[in-house]
Amino acid sequence: MMHNLPPKPKRSTFKTVRNILIGVILAGIYIWTFMGIDIDFAKAVDRMTNNYARIIPKLLDPDWSALSDVWAAMVETIYIAFAGSLMAAILAIPLGFLAAQNMTNNRVLTTIGKWILSAIRAFPDIILAILFIVVVGPKPFAGVLAIAIGSTGMLGKLYSEVLESIDTNVVEAMEANGANKLQILVHGILPQITPEFLSYAIYRFEIDVRASTILGIVGAGGIGTLIVFAKMNRNWEEMGLILLMIIVVVTVIDLISTQIRKRLV
Amino acid sequence: MTEKEIKKTSTQSPSVIPLKAKFRVTVIFFIVLAFYLFSSFKTESSITEFIDGIGNMGELFQKFFPPNLSLFQAIWPALADTIQMAIIATTAAGILCIPLSLLAANNVTTNKILYNIVRFLLNILRTIPDLVLAVIFVALFGIGALPGIIALVIFSLGLLAKLISETIEAIDMNPLEAMQASGANTIQTIYYAVVPQVLPQFTSFVLYVFEINIRASVVLGLVGAGGIGQILDQQIKFYEYPNAMGIIIIIFALVVIIEYISTKVREAIV
Amino acid sequence: MIEFKNVSLTYPNGTKGLKNVNLTINEGEFVVIVGLSGAGKSTLIRSINKLVTATEGELLVDNENILTHKGKRLRSLRTKVGMIFQNYNLVKRSNVFKNVLAGRLGHTGTLRSLFNLFSKEDRSLAYESLKRVNIEEKIYNRADELSGGQQQRVSIARVLTQKPKYILADEPVASLDPPTSHQVMTYLRKINQEDNITTVVNLHFIDMAMEYADRIIGMRAGEVVFDGPASEVSEKTFEEIYGRTIREGDLRGGTEA
Ligand SMILES: Nc1ncnc2c1ncn2[C@@H]1O[C@H](COP(=O)(O)OP(=O)(O)OP(=O)(O)O)[C@@H](O)[C@H]1O
Ligand SMILES: [Mg+2]
């Protein structure tokens, strides 16, 4: 039987070259990665088998006698996250306006605003914490500042996106009515942006609670401080309780915050 | 109209914002404010202290500057480790998340119990911070890149599976019905009707998680899980601030460059 | 041959989709099912390839009771019964050829299909099917680049590639404009005659039903209330099936493109 096969697909040379290029680059990256990384699996497995019994069962058997300490540290974590988030929620407002094209009407300013915001976002929270510890010393306040600055980057970006998407007809109508800039801001813009700004700020608080749990690892307060002690003392039962505390509290805060945000928007 | 009547109508004119809402907003505002003040007090965050701190900034500048960028060559191996850890972890998470995200999508996994169990596990996975996972895995496997990679895999698995399962839940189910109606089995149906619909988003999310993993893997070294963070930790402990600042700036550049590339690629895909 | 013997279907929420349906659809027939929205047309058609399962009675396809079919046997029933949908149900991001080849999945091993290893025969069959509905020049276009009528033709090609013995079409023209609707119906009719594929089509439009059908089945509230050759059908018959007078919206209008 003669097969009447379809014509071969016509691929543009550009696409072919592009696909080959992508393939080569990817292959290169993976070869570099697997040649470069040096992991002694035998040793790691060996250690794992030695350490397993010393750690895992204890993690699953939390030390409840440490509950009040762990709880206190968790509460401090929440304070850090809250103070930091709120500072960021406010700091991000001017930056958000600066980075919103339709608010500044100035290309240069907008670009500067966007650059500042993405520069801030490039710093991992914990590195900011390291810097602020040098400034204010190793205490929760350094954590608050790290969270505040770190969150400003993301919130400012989200705010500017909200601002760029508002309905400008309302603003125009008010301008036509003879309203001044401040009146337009209060009656034309604020009602449009407030729910979304709030919703993002609360969302960021969720993230910040998670972020604050580890700040203590570099000395910036919160439950991370206990993690360092538990690790040093090989107190894995306490580590188990810390883990459990983080899981439960973060989950509960996520649930509450999701509910609040649902109602806001 | 008498004066009395005018007074009456004026009190009846409705206020722009309903009273009840006004009251509620005020109450919420004061609760938030109170909690903030309390938090500030508890964390010893005070403006004065910050201003003192700003004063220290000058000192800080002196301490940290000029950053020593000449150590780039010396730290390149550790930086490479950092990138490689993120690549391996992202790849592993990208593969492992496929079955997980199918199980966590309610239009593929119609068994409610299984679906809920998987969702629950993924949610828990996402609550554990990567550094905490790293602390535990370092204790298990010893110092090195491996515990860092495992911590990253587990953390990004939760995130990736959640993002991708949501994508799967949003796909057009019609082609699946057509495949089933033509006698295709489950695997074929997934491969021919689900995969093409989620592939672009899948790639985009994997790149996004790669960005996150780069940022995370930079700091894993702080707890001994390999990469550049380990060197940063040493330099800070030895008060070698210009070196530390140099490392931080190099890290910053790395993150910015990788995010830039990744964003461009993601824009091209979706 | 498809036989309904006292078939009833109750949905899990208690809705009665079919009530004691008795029907025999013979080899090579072109049957059109009409009825108001909610009459149970889709339920009837979808019970034939067990996308929904009848809860009472017997449903025989080629003398096999399909109501107990599961797994492999169900899939082999489905390879024999092709289906065309109102919304074409193509994978929008895949190209036309891949969509058409998907019609062979039921005949292809899992491993082969995962590597796109369709046999030469399958690929040429898919191409021939595209040619039969005159859409072969779009073979490497993505499905979402096609118009509705073109997409429906691709979905007909997909069914043809499946080499079915029966074709079920659930409102295949409901999303199309009048000339395109006639074009699609003409293809279905042509395939029915040339390949002797038994075809069951749901239609909303009574003028189209009269134009293309050999036989018309009228449904109301899950029951078959009319069953006869198209030549015996008049507007009056439809008024009886619908339980009301005929309106403009019941007609597709236009003529064959
Ligand atoms: N999955 C389901 N679950 C519950 N009830 C259903 C389901 N599908 C259909 N029904 C009900 O069964 C009855 C028949 O529906 P069916 O879809 O077969 O009607 P139809 O004649 O195809 O209507 P249309 O012309 O609107 O497509 C309707 O009352 C419908 O509400
Ligand atoms: Mg229907």
Side-chain angles (χ1 to χ4, degrees):
Chain A
M1 182 186 149
M2 266 284 289
H3 294 304
N4 188 355
L5 286 175
K8 285 262 181 300
K10 284 197 265 339
R11 279 248 170 82
S12 66
T13 34
F14 167 74
K15 271 195 176 166
T16 321
V17 170
R18 188 196 64 183
N19 289 347
I20 292 173
L21 214 65
I22 292 175
V24 170
I25 291 174
L26 272 180
I29 288 175
Y30 276 103
I31 290 170
W32 173 73
T33 299
F34 284 102
M35 303 272 278
I37 200 90
D38 109 86
I39 295 172
D40 191 340
F41 278 104
K43 204 164 139 195
V45 169
D46 188 43
R47 283 197 196 201
M48 217 274 287
T49 40
N50 281 338
N51 294 344
Y52 182 85
R54 216 160 40 72
I55 298 173
I56 300 296
K58 294 187 177 172
L59 275 180
L60 299 176
D61 177 27
D63 169 17
W64 292 101
S65 68
L67 185 60
S68 66
D69 287 350
V70 171
W71 172 248
M74 191 69 224
V75 170
E76 183 176 76
T77 306
I78 295 173
Y79 291 145
I80 293 175
F82 188 81
S85 298
L86 197 69
M87 271 166 85
I90 293 162
L91 275 176
I93 294 173
L95 284 169
F97 272 88
L98 185 68
Q101 179 67 50
N102 55 347
M103 293 293 135
T104 47
N105 268 328
N106 181 328
R107 265 240 130 87
V108 181
L109 282 182
T110 311
T111 314
I112 293 176
K114 287 200 199 295
W115 269 95
I116 295 177
L117 291 174
S118 40
I120 297 175
R121 267 179 294 131
F123 281 102
D125 292 332
I126 203 144
I127 294 214
L128 289 171
I130 290 175
L131 289 177
F132 282 116
I133 284 173
V134 180
V135 179
V136 300
K139 49 185 157 190
F141 185 38
V144 173
L145 290 174
I147 295 289
I149 300 299
S151 307
T152 303
M154 178 183 148
L155 278 179
K157 177 169 183 256
L158 292 171
Y159 285 2
S160 73
E161 282 167 4
V162 172
L163 285 166
E164 279 174 353
S165 70
I166 63 166
D167 177 5
T168 45
N169 291 338
V170 183
V171 177
E172 262 166 38
M174 288 191 165
E175 270 170 356
N177 279 344
N180 66 30
K181 281 236 145 60
L182 194 67
Q183 287 169 326
I184 292 176
L185 182 69
V186 173
H187 293 285
I189 298 176
L190 279 190
Q192 292 192 55
I193 58 171
T194 317
E196 264 139 338
F197 274 32
L198 279 177
S199 167
Y200 280 137
I202 295 170
Y203 171 61
R204 184 63 216 196
F205 173 64
E206 268 177 59
I207 299 180
D208 286 340
V209 172
R210 276 168 226 229
S212 308
T213 56
I214 54 171
L215 292 174
I217 291 177
V218 295
I223 201 164
T225 319
L226 292 189
I227 293 178
V228 176
F229 289 141
K231 176 191 142 193
M232 269 182 346
N233 301 332
R234 309 229 162 105
N235 189 346
W236 297 108
E237 289 96 340
E238 186 175 326
M239 188 75 95
L241 185 68
I242 296 171
L243 263 182
L244 189 64
M245 180 68 82
I246 293 177
I247 291 173
V248 171
V249 171
V250 169
T251 305
V252 169
I253 288 181
D254 277 8
L255 286 178
I256 297 173
S257 133
T258 311
Q259 283 308 314
I260 297 178
R261 286 192 289 130
K262 254 190 212 150
R263 282 198 204 162
L264 270 176
V265 185
Chain B
M1 249 189 263
T2 64
E3 208 169 287
K4 218 174 174 184
E5 270 173 315
I6 292 175
K7 220 174 186 176
K8 207 171 163 196
T9 47
S10 78
T11 52
Q12 271 179 353
S13 80
S15 74
V16 183
I17 303 167
L19 258 180
K20 222 170 143 189
K22 217 173 185 172
F23 178 71
R24 208 171 57 193
V25 169
T26 317
V27 168
I28 291 173
F29 177 78
F30 278 105
I31 291 175
V32 170
L33 188 70
F35 194 65
Y36 174 70
L37 292 175
F38 192 65
S39 300
S40 302
F41 169 69
K42 280 289 186 183
T43 55
E44 299 161 43
S45 317
S46 61
I47 302 287
T48 49
E49 196 151 347
F50 187 64
I51 291 169
D52 279 358
I54 297 281
N56 289 348
M57 274 296 232
E59 218 176 296
L60 175 77
F61 266 86
Q62 279 172 1
K63 275 188 194 163
F64 276 119
F65 286 80
N68 180 3
L69 291 173
S70 65
L71 44 69
F72 183 76
Q73 283 218 315
I75 64 163
W76 169 247
L79 201 61
D81 271 354
T82 304
I83 303 172
Q84 287 159 349
M85 282 163 64
I87 290 176
I88 295 177
T90 310
T91 310
I95 295 167
L96 292 174
C97 84
I98 294 170
L100 272 179
S101 44
L102 286 169
L103 287 172
N106 61 9
N107 51 352
V108 177
T109 306
T110 37
N111 182 333
K112 272 243 151 60
I113 301 172
L114 184 62
Y115 165 79
N116 281 318
I117 292 176
V118 176
R119 282 252 138 168
F120 179 74
L121 288 178
L122 287 179
N123 283 336
I124 288 191
L125 225 52
R126 276 182 303 118
T127 61
I128 309 174
D130 39 14
L131 269 187
V132 179
L133 288 170
V135 167
I136 294 169
F137 288 121
V138 168
L140 264 180
F141 294 102
I143 285 178
L146 184 68
I149 292 174
I150 297 178
L152 289 181
V153 170
I154 292 186
F155 181 74
S156 43
L157 199 54
L159 182 61
L160 207 49
K162 177 179 184 252
L163 290 171
I164 291 168
S165 65
E166 277 164 7
T167 313
I168 295 176
E169 286 183 350
I171 62 169
D172 175 7
M173 291 299 284
N174 283 334
L176 275 80
E177 191 180 37
M179 307 265 162
Q180 264 150 19
S182 75
N185 62 32
T186 311
I187 295 175
Q188 290 172 327
T189 307
I190 290 173
Y191 189 70
Y192 275 80
V194 179
V195 171
Q197 293 194 61
V198 298
L199 199 56
Q201 254 104 328
F202 176 81
T203 323
S204 169
F205 284 140
V206 168
L207 281 170
Y208 171 66
V209 164
F210 176 60
E211 288 172 36
I212 293 180
N213 276 343
I214 282 277
R215 238 179 295 186
S217 106
V218 154
V219 296
L220 284 176
L222 297 175
V223 296
I228 186 85
Q230 228 154 318
I231 300 185
L232 178 63
D233 194 37
Q234 284 163 12
Q235 297 303 313
I236 286 178
K237 283 198 178 123
F238 295 140
Y239 303 104
E240 297 277 6
Y241 288 124
N243 288 350
M245 199 62 199
I247 294 171
I248 288 175
I249 288 176
I250 290 168
I251 287 174
F252 175 76
L254 172 77
V255 173
V256 170
I257 292 170
I258 285 185
E259 250 166 46
Y260 180 80
I261 298 173
S262 161
T263 312
K264 285 287 165 231
V265 175
R266 286 201 283 141
E267 276 169 11
I269 294 170
V270 182
Chain C
M1 200 165 63
I2 302 169
E3 289 168 273
F4 285 75
K5 293 186 177 165
N6 300 320
V7 171
S8 295
L9 187 149
T10 311
Y11 281 107
N13 66 0
T15 315
K16 285 223 181 301
L18 297 176
K19 292 178 200 156
N20 198 29
V21 172
N22 284 289
L23 277 178
T24 304
I25 295 169
N26 295 308
E27 233 59 350
E29 268 189 311
F30 195 98
V31 181
V32 170
I33 301 170
V34 295
L36 288 175
S37 184
K41 305 184 295 292
S42 298
T43 309
L44 182 82
I45 250 188
R46 296 161 76 86
S47 64
I48 298 172
N49 62 355
K50 227 173 158 240
L51 284 180
V52 295
T53 307
T55 44
E56 277 167 57
E58 271 181 44
L59 212 173
L60 309 182
V61 176
D62 293 341
N63 300 316
E64 273 181 72
N65 187 2
I66 62 153
L67 294 185
T68 50
H69 278 22
K70 267 195 216 127
K72 226 186 166 108
R73 290 188 70 192
L74 176 60
R75 288 203 297 277
S76 92
L77 163 78
R78 286 173 173 175
T79 56
K80 172 159 89 170
V81 184
M83 190 160 199
I84 291 167
F85 303 83
Q86 175 180 344
N87 298 313
Y88 333 125
N89 294 16
L90 301 179
V91 183
K92 299 244 165 45
R93 299 191 60 101
S94 295
N95 69 26
V96 165
F97 195 41
K98 202 170 168 198
N99 267 295
V100 174
L101 275 170
R104 289 308 294 170
L105 286 177
H107 300 274
T108 312
T110 310
L111 209 60
R112 282 181 81 96
S113 55
L114 290 190
F115 291 99
N116 281 319
L117 293 174
F118 290 97
S119 67
K120 250 192 182 129
E121 287 86 353
D122 286 356
R123 279 180 290 142
S124 83
L125 177 62
Y127 188 49
E128 288 302 324
S129 309
L130 281 169
K131 277 187 173 167
R132 285 186 71 183
V133 289
N134 285 317
I135 193 96
E136 74 272 15
E137 78 272 20
K138 300 281 185 198
I139 180 164
Y140 294 116
N141 285 62
R142 259 169 61 154
D144 55 7
E145 294 166 359
L146 271 53
S147 71
Q150 290 172 329
Q151 290 193 38
Q152 195 58 294
R153 273 145 68 196
V154 172
S155 94
I156 294 176
R158 174 174 65 191
V159 160
L160 282 177
T161 310
Q162 193 181 327
K163 283 232 166 248
K165 202 167 160 196
Y166 303 91
I167 289 180
L168 311 173
D170 194 357
E171 314 243 8
V173 300
S175 310
L176 303 174
D177 59 27
T180 322
S181 302
H182 282 288
Q183 197 188 32
V184 165
M185 285 307 294
T186 307
Y187 279 121
L188 284 177
R189 183 76 232 210
K190 207 172 113 201
I191 288 159
N192 159 256
Q193 281 166 351
E194 287 175 2
D195 300 12
N196 198 34
I197 297 177
T198 312
T199 308
V200 185
V201 185
N202 280 348
L203 283 180
H204 255 108
F205 306 107
I206 59 179
D207 51 343
M208 292 195 89
M210 292 197 331
E211 189 173 341
Y212 295 97
D214 291 334
R215 172 178 166 196
I216 289 179
I217 292 172
M219 294 194 70
R220 187 166 61 215
E223 283 175 285
V224 172
V225 293
F226 176 86
D227 185 355
S231 53
E232 283 176 18
V233 170
S234 67
E235 283 211 358
K236 187 123 192 315
T237 327
F238 282 104
E239 294 191 343
E240 278 164 21
I241 296 171
Y242 286 12
R244 60 164 172 74
T245 52
I246 299 306
R247 299 173 193 153
E248 182 114 19
D250 300 328
L251 303 172
R252 166 100 299 187
T255 45
E256 206 178 308

